[in-house]
Amino acid sequence: MLQQWAADALKTYVPLEADQIMGLLEIPPSAQMGDIAFPCFMLAKQFRKAPQEVAKDIAGSFSHPAITAEAAGPYINLKFDRAHYIPLIMDELATENIPDTGKGRKIVIDMSSPNIAKPFGIGHLRSTVIGAAIYNMYKLAGYDVVSVNHLGDWGTQFGKQIAAYKRWGDDNAISEDPIGESLKLYVRFHEEAAEDETLEPEAREWFRKLEAGDEEARRLWAFFVEVSLKEFNRMYKRLNVSFDYTLGESFYNDKMQPVVESLKEKGLLEESDGALVVRLDDEGMPPCLILKKDGTTIYPTRDLATAIYRHDVMEGERLLYVVGNEQKLHFQQVFSVLRKMGMDWADSCIHVPFGLMKFEGKKMSTRRGKIVVLETVLDEAVARALAIINEKNPDLENKEQVANAVGIGAIIFGDLKNHRLNEVDFSLEEALSFEGETGPYVQYTYARTQSVLTKGAAMAGTAGITANSALPGSDVLGDSGWELLKLLTRFQEQLQRGLRNHEPSVLARYALDVAQSFNQFYNKERIVTDEDQVRSARLNLTRLAGLSLSRTMQLLGIGTPERM
């Protein structure tokens, strides 16, 4: 919007196409310097002058009826005539359509992927909410997006689970608390295995039986899967996350042998200490294990079959894996093996890693039983939010619904505001604050916009709040309103930046910027004034700010109550 207008105004004076100019435009460090800045460094060689001289020459010859130019060192700072552009921007924002950049291209996103027979811990939160936000972002940009919950329901861990159940399982205790008791058995297995050398071979044998279709092994495995899915689905419902497909690793059990055969036919498999591997020495990586000594499969085998299925059957043009950073080498190996197999689409397989989540400084470990159960955290967050509401607004309608949106939204936002590669040390108290960089702060700001609109409508009627209510010839918003309006024009730019980097924090930070900018506008300017045109324009800006906050928070998977 502003960038396009600036590029169109500059292209007469700059030997670049409008798109090239737009790619160079910057936001000046202070509003007093201008609205948009154009750096002249790359023009110095062509003009055979220092960038400062180029900027001075272009600014001196620049002429536009509603934009002024001023040289500031190697930059040209542009200032827009507010009276001219305010109504144009408001009209554009009122009918803003997101460009269909995806054009139906299919993206398959692997996300969440908890392990069966384990509680849904807060450590699973990152993959779930980062994946869901990326899914929403791609969807808005016009892509055909498919989300897959790749359950960890296969592997040696199930041999361990079955072996532990066979030795120490109590059917009555398991029927009372299937997930909790399953975790206790899993933890006990690792404790006992440190002293009992027979446990690990026993577990491997049970997994071999499971892959071979042993009736008892399959029965126990099916039970663990059933009770786990029931638990997981409750958590997903609370997080308002859904999946197009829930396909565990077991789904690919009959698809792994063709992969092994293909690797053999292509001469890629080598024996190493009784196991079968694909050498990756030429790429500076250790061998990729395909079959263990006992003939059972391992993660790479299943992920190779998974990738091929998602490309060939699901027709994914790009395959994303929202999985922790600790799996970086694993995915590098898998993608390299795909390339060696001749899969020219392997470069479209993208690992979207994220940093570790700690809880109050402590790292979580399933094997040691150190899990912070997500449901406990959600319950505590909602309870604290409800307590705040009871203290500050006890007469609020639908208090429980609002507390749910605020409490759970605080947890999601507390994750997504961080760059995904950063380690997150989760603090419930910090996440629930109504001040600072938090979800409740953004939600409260949205509720404030709705309160202002209600007050304005009661005073003048909704007919006064229209898209083109800012009439030409009048700077009706004030400095803070103009800054807010400019910020609202940057949503599409932020969405595209977030997609390029698979980085939801870009939008979380944008929501914070809009909230802070609106609150400055709210505190500095009287919105519901007696002057009809000024009031209508400022109410319209308030409406646009509210729409922007609501839309951005929805992309992040967070609700925006109208009253708080």
Side-chain angles (χ1 to χ4, degrees), residues 1-11 17-23 25 36 64 67 78 80 85 92 489 493:
M1 203 175 298
L2 283 179
Q3 287 85 349
Q4 184 65 61
W5 290 329
D8 289 341
L10 282 168
K11 66 183 180 182
E17 297 296 325
D19 287 346
Q20 294 175 297
I21 296 172
M22 285 183 66
L25 295 175
I36 287 181
H64 189 280
I67 302 175
L78 302 179
F80 289 75
Y85 281 103
E92 288 275 351
T489 69
E493 169 195 335

Side-chain angles (χ1 to χ4, degrees), residues 438 441-446 448 484 487 509-521 545 549:
T438 70
Y441 171 74
V442 178
Q443 289 170 316
Y444 183 76
T445 303
Y446 172 77
R448 171 174 278 176
L484 172 59
L487 183 59
R509 292 287 163 183
Y510 178 72
L512 285 169
D513 289 344
V514 172
Q516 291 165 358
S517 185
F518 174 77
N519 285 321
Q520 290 174 0
F521 170 60
L549 289 173

